[in-house]
Amino acid sequence: MRLTRFTDVALRVLMRLAVAEGEDPPTTRDVAAAMQVPYTHAAKIVARLQHLGLVEARRGRGGGLTLTGAGRSASVGSLARELEGPGDVVECEGSTPCPLRSACRLRAALRDAQEAFYASLDEVTIADLVTAPTGPLLIAISGRPATD
């Protein structure tokens, strides 16, 4: 199972925001720079996370991004399901349909494996992901001094 780049970056953005408490809220540009992704990609991700109620974005002076309570307690498995969207691990239909599709057992087995992958992430929250040593590293790459 491989997550899309969108989901990967979205999870990293949420992790970065989870360690941003007590500082000026980072902007989308700040987060994009810390995560080493293009600003336009980060902006699309932030918009989606805001739509899901995980991130609050304020514009203008004193604005920035903050993680909501729902974002902090969000299950990584449910986020991955939501961000990846519906679909099978393999493309059986498409422009060149698989000749085995009418009697294939592989598709169901892969679907079960995909669900097992997500289920293994269901118990993990964004808050869990930023405990040491990850949280201090996220703080360090954001350019702000660590506080003890």
Side-chain angles (χ1 to χ4, degrees), residues 59-83:
R59 292 179 168 218
R61 188 178 185 107
L65 305 173
T66 55
L67 189 64
T68 65
R72 180 169 300 287
S73 62
S75 156
V76 175
S78 66
L79 283 172
R81 279 184 196 89
E82 178 68 33
L83 296 171

Side-chain angles (χ1 to χ4, degrees), residues 72-81 115-129:
R72 180 169 300 287
S73 62
S75 156
V76 175
S78 66
L79 283 172
R81 279 184 196 89
E115 182 49 39
F117 172 78
Y118 290 141
S120 70
L121 296 172
D122 281 339
E123 299 302 314
V124 181
T125 66
I126 296 300
D128 295 334
L129 295 177

Side-chain angles (χ1 to χ4, degrees), residues 1 87-94 98 104-111 114:
M1 178 74 205
D88 291 324
V89 176
V90 294
E91 182 65 40
C92 297
E93 302 301 326
C98 176
C104 184
R105 298 171 75 155
L106 177 61
R107 186 178 194 179
L110 290 173
R111 191 175 300 127
Q114 180 181 27

